[in-house]
Amino acid sequence: MKIVHTFGVTNDPDEGLWALELEGKVVNEYQAIFEIWRDPEIMYEFCVENQEDLHRKFGYPIRPPDAADIMMDEADELEEMLMNLAKKKFPGTNLQQLFKPLDNNATALTELQLSKGSIKNKRIRDPKLRIYAIRIAKNAYVFTGGAIKLTNRMEERPHTQEQLVRMINVRTWLKSQGICYPEDLNALS
Amino acid sequence: MNLKDKLKDITSENKSTWLEDAEKNVANQGARKNARRVALRVLHILKERGMTQQALADKMDVSRQQVTKIIKGKENFTFETIDKLEKALNITLLNVPLDEPTYDPSHLSAVIPIQGSIQVRTIIGNSFDLAQTFSLKLDIGALEKSDEFGSDLIMGRHHGHPTCVFYNQLKEHSLSTLMFNGFLLEGQELLKPSQQFKIIAKEAFERCPS
């Protein structure tokens, strides 16, 4: 397991996004998830296989191609937002505003915190896509993957459960590599 | 060893090309979206008809690889390929208007049917007056997505194109600026049968039967 620097100031470990690079895989996990979300065939099949969850999440019976189309739009917006963050298009915006603690009840920023991100705006009021990362410093994250989250809890479906397990494994690995932020994150944020 | 050095130790030599990729993707968003929609439509038709990708390739008289490109949203279509696809599946993908449609309120002929209870408002001068509530059916398949929307909308057809405008915007504009052809609508999440929609109705709008 390695990480690859994705964006941010390379010589400043306090700010940036690194992506997980798994052995034997051609692309890192950041690129991998967006490739999946850009693939109509994969997205369509997912929607066929998860129709009941989609109906529940959307609140009405939605056809697989329509659900796939909406979620692929969401992926495009998410990618554009990350691109804008990387290029610092809007001053004052940073990764910390995108990634929130995975635990909705968490009130403090903790070391190697499991984090989640999604896009929410006027067009996307109930996001279905999640990106996952481990917070390694004030405004720095290791991107571990992403998923279409249609249930309340990640444990409820295998594809989200897999992401949860991966995050926990990556956190353990980072710890074993001595990655821990030396200062109080809450004081810094 | 500080965090920077520790990160160096576990950082791969590979360079991520995501930013260049993302820039390309964003620049090509319009083309990608159209290719993706064709892909989703084809995938759904194949599934519904129990047709294989090979069968489609045979019918179109193209290679299986070209069909793969189509369903992966990677085909940069030529008119010829579109024509082959339309004929093979007996569908319409492209219908090019001869002219750019322009706004003319007299052409606002019908409310797009909507399901659920609708509050219809009529326009009296510059104010809005609640008229009545009745049920309509909505053909959401005819609508597309918007860049801007509020919670309420009006809908109509103009030269046969679905047109919809949001009530939030209506309040800030004169009637003449309200109607857009093919105004895009994120609508599907808005258009729940139980949801209430305010329709700004002009006389030209036709009521649909309950």
XYZ file of all heavy atoms in Angstrom, chain A residues 3-39:
305
model
N 0.704 5.818 -0.966
C -0.191 6.923 -1.287
C 0.448 7.740 -2.403
O 1.668 7.709 -2.578
C -0.509 7.828 -0.060
C 0.769 8.385 0.573
C -1.347 7.074 0.944
C 0.493 9.380 1.693
N -0.376 8.428 -3.145
C 0.154 9.258 -4.220
C -0.373 10.677 -4.026
O -1.548 10.868 -3.676
C -0.205 8.672 -5.620
C -1.701 8.536 -5.809
C 0.393 9.498 -6.746
N 0.527 11.620 -4.197
C 0.117 13.004 -3.985
C -0.815 13.429 -5.105
O -0.494 13.298 -6.282
C 1.352 13.918 -3.945
C 1.026 15.311 -3.539
N 1.014 16.347 -4.422
C 0.646 15.820 -2.336
C 0.667 17.447 -3.776
N 0.436 17.164 -2.521
N -1.992 13.875 -4.726
C -2.998 14.201 -5.734
C -3.081 15.700 -5.969
O -2.947 16.169 -7.072
C -4.361 13.624 -5.301
O -4.202 12.233 -5.104
C -5.410 13.850 -6.357
N -3.335 16.412 -4.923
C -3.218 17.861 -5.090
C -2.935 18.554 -3.770
O -3.092 17.994 -2.703
C -4.425 18.452 -5.806
C -5.718 18.522 -5.041
C -5.927 19.516 -4.092
C -6.740 17.644 -5.318
C -7.143 19.616 -3.430
C -7.957 17.728 -4.655
C -8.158 18.713 -3.705
N -2.547 19.815 -3.904
C -2.159 20.576 -2.726
C -0.710 20.963 -2.859
O -0.040 20.611 -3.824
N -0.225 21.677 -1.882
C 1.159 22.122 -1.935
C 2.047 20.950 -1.519
O 1.959 20.464 -0.403
C 1.380 23.318 -0.979
C 2.778 23.881 -1.133
C 0.336 24.386 -1.242
N 2.864 20.490 -2.440
C 3.634 19.261 -2.211
C 4.518 19.333 -0.967
O 4.650 18.372 -0.233
C 4.529 18.958 -3.433
O 3.749 19.160 -4.587
C 5.054 17.556 -3.386
N 5.107 20.503 -0.741
C 6.040 20.555 0.388
C 5.383 21.002 1.694
O 6.057 21.301 2.652
C 7.238 21.448 0.054
C 6.785 22.846 -0.350
O 5.611 23.170 -0.190
N 7.705 23.627 -0.863
N 4.065 21.047 1.693
C 3.373 21.400 2.930
C 2.437 20.260 3.324
O 1.357 20.114 2.777
C 2.564 22.689 2.729
C 1.812 23.076 3.993
O 2.014 22.400 5.019
O 1.045 24.046 3.950
N 2.872 19.440 4.285
C 2.040 18.290 4.646
C 0.764 18.688 5.377
O -0.093 17.845 5.608
C 2.969 17.475 5.557
C 3.935 18.445 6.107
C 4.098 19.519 5.084
N 0.656 19.957 5.748
C -0.556 20.390 6.438
C -1.725 20.570 5.493
O -2.861 20.732 5.913
C -0.313 21.729 7.156
C 0.398 21.494 8.471
O 0.644 20.325 8.805
O 0.711 22.487 9.144
N -1.450 20.587 4.212
C -2.537 20.830 3.273
C -2.346 19.978 2.020
O -1.282 19.994 1.409
C -2.581 22.309 2.873
C -3.803 22.628 2.038
C -3.875 24.079 1.603
O -2.917 24.826 1.882
O -4.886 24.436 0.989
N -3.366 19.250 1.669
C -3.276 18.478 0.430
C -4.128 17.228 0.463
O -4.708 16.871 1.488
N -4.197 16.602 -0.673
C -4.959 15.366 -0.786
C -4.048 14.301 -1.376
O -3.464 14.504 -2.441
C -6.184 15.581 -1.683
C -7.159 14.415 -1.774
C -7.870 14.179 -0.440
C -8.211 14.671 -2.854
N -3.927 13.226 -0.670
C -3.183 12.069 -1.163
C -4.202 10.969 -1.449
O -5.236 10.904 -0.775
C -2.195 11.570 -0.106
C -0.947 12.397 0.020
C 0.282 12.105 -0.481
C -0.784 13.647 0.711
N 1.190 13.083 -0.155
C 0.567 14.047 0.573
C -1.634 14.488 1.431
C 1.075 15.225 1.121
C -1.150 15.657 1.972
C 0.191 16.026 1.813
N -3.911 10.164 -2.424
C -4.849 9.082 -2.736
C -4.188 7.741 -2.493
O -2.984 7.576 -2.706
C -5.310 9.179 -4.180
N -5.006 6.819 -2.060
C -4.511 5.470 -1.786
C -4.147 4.780 -3.091
O -4.880 4.880 -4.081
C -5.632 4.695 -1.091
C -5.275 3.355 -0.487
C -4.272 3.540 0.657
C -6.548 2.686 0.029
N -3.009 4.116 -3.066
C -2.579 3.368 -4.250
C -2.436 1.909 -3.825
O -1.545 1.577 -3.052
C -1.236 3.943 -4.723
C -0.909 3.617 -6.155
C 0.384 4.292 -6.588
O 1.460 3.885 -6.111
O 0.318 5.227 -7.387
N -3.336 1.088 -4.302
C -3.331 -0.312 -3.885
C -2.452 -1.130 -4.824
O -2.415 -0.864 -6.029
C -4.760 -0.864 -3.871
C -5.708 -0.206 -2.863
C -7.132 -0.690 -3.073
C -5.271 -0.500 -1.433
N -1.800 -2.102 -4.255
C -0.909 -2.944 -5.059
C -1.676 -3.656 -6.165
O -2.782 -4.148 -5.942
C -0.240 -3.986 -4.159
C 1.157 -3.575 -3.736
C 1.761 -4.557 -2.772
O 1.854 -5.727 -3.139
O 2.103 -4.121 -1.658
N -1.074 -3.687 -7.333
C -1.680 -4.404 -8.455
C -2.716 -3.604 -9.204
O -3.275 -4.073 -10.190
N -3.028 -2.426 -8.717
C -4.025 -1.608 -9.419
C -3.332 -0.553 -10.269
O -2.322 0.024 -9.857
C -4.964 -0.931 -8.418
C -5.973 -1.884 -7.820
C -7.273 -1.142 -7.571
C -8.336 -2.054 -7.005
N -9.532 -1.302 -6.624
N -3.880 -0.320 -11.460
C -3.243 0.594 -12.414
C -3.407 2.051 -11.982
O -2.497 2.862 -12.124
C -3.853 0.391 -13.828
C -3.177 1.300 -14.847
C -3.735 -1.063 -14.254
N -4.583 2.374 -11.456
C -4.816 3.768 -11.071
C -5.059 3.847 -9.565
O -5.434 2.863 -8.930
C -6.035 4.389 -11.814
C -5.739 4.558 -13.283
C -7.301 3.578 -11.595
N -4.847 5.037 -9.018
C -5.091 5.198 -7.591
C -6.596 5.225 -7.309
O -7.405 5.338 -8.228
C -4.362 6.442 -7.059
C -4.908 7.724 -7.665
O -6.085 8.033 -7.549
N -4.037 8.468 -8.342
N -6.949 5.160 -6.044
C -8.365 5.013 -5.687
C -9.191 6.259 -5.998
O -10.395 6.177 -6.185
C -8.487 4.640 -4.202
C -8.001 3.245 -3.923
C -8.620 2.200 -4.842
O -9.835 1.983 -4.744
O -7.898 1.607 -5.664
N -8.545 7.368 -6.049
C -9.239 8.610 -6.410
C -9.687 8.526 -7.872
O -10.850 8.747 -8.210
C -8.281 9.793 -6.213
C -8.889 11.142 -6.497
C -9.350 11.950 -5.470
C -8.998 11.623 -7.803
C -9.902 13.190 -5.727
C -9.555 12.856 -8.073
C -10.000 13.631 -7.030
O -10.554 14.857 -7.297
N -8.736 8.191 -8.733
C -9.078 8.093 -10.152
C -10.023 6.922 -10.403
O -10.922 7.005 -11.227
C -7.812 7.966 -10.992
C -7.070 9.297 -11.070
C -5.723 9.165 -11.743
O -4.839 8.472 -11.248
N -5.560 9.821 -12.869
N -9.818 5.842 -9.635
C -10.633 4.641 -9.848
C -12.116 4.914 -9.605
O -12.965 4.514 -10.406
C -10.150 3.524 -8.932
N -12.425 5.619 -8.533
C -13.851 5.810 -8.217
C -14.515 6.737 -9.238
O -15.650 6.522 -9.660
C -14.068 6.296 -6.753
C -15.556 6.170 -6.377
C -13.604 7.718 -6.516
C -16.111 4.779 -6.385
N -13.771 7.746 -9.697
C -14.386 8.632 -10.699
C -14.510 7.925 -12.050
O -15.434 8.211 -12.808
C -13.621 9.954 -10.800
C -14.012 10.908 -9.700
C -13.245 11.034 -8.568
C -15.193 11.640 -9.784
C -13.627 11.878 -7.526
C -15.586 12.488 -8.759
C -14.801 12.607 -7.623
N -13.608 7.011 -12.334
C -13.768 6.220 -13.575
C -15.033 5.382 -13.498
O -15.764 5.242 -14.477
C -12.535 5.329 -13.795
C -11.386 6.091 -14.428
C -10.179 5.209 -14.725
O -10.312 3.972 -14.728
O -9.095 5.786 -14.937
N -15.298 4.830 -12.333
C -16.533 4.032 -12.151
C -17.753 4.933 -12.297
O -18.708 4.602 -12.993
C -16.525 3.349 -10.756
C -15.520 2.196 -10.758
C -17.924 2.873 -10.366
C -15.283 1.566 -9.403
N -17.706 6.075 -11.673
C -18.870 6.978 -11.712
C -19.074 7.616 -13.088
O -20.109 8.217 -13.345
C -18.718 8.059 -10.639
C -18.917 7.530 -9.242
C -19.527 6.352 -8.880
C -18.510 8.146 -8.016
N -19.514 6.207 -7.523
C -18.905 7.296 -6.959
C -17.860 9.336 -7.705
C -18.670 7.597 -5.609
C -17.629 9.639 -6.361
C -18.029 8.779 -5.341
N -18.062 7.517 -13.940
C -18.218 8.043 -15.305
C -18.599 6.945 -16.290
O -18.779 7.210 -17.462
C -16.899 8.680 -15.767
C -16.750 10.136 -15.390
C -15.634 10.791 -16.188
N -14.345 10.195 -15.919
C -13.511 10.613 -14.975
N -13.837 11.620 -14.222
N -12.347 10.033 -14.799
N -18.701 5.703 -15.807
C -18.963 4.577 -16.712
C -20.463 4.260 -16.733
O -20.994 3.709 -15.756
C -18.161 3.359 -16.226
C -18.246 2.188 -17.195
O -19.301 2.012 -17.818
O -17.247 1.461 -17.326
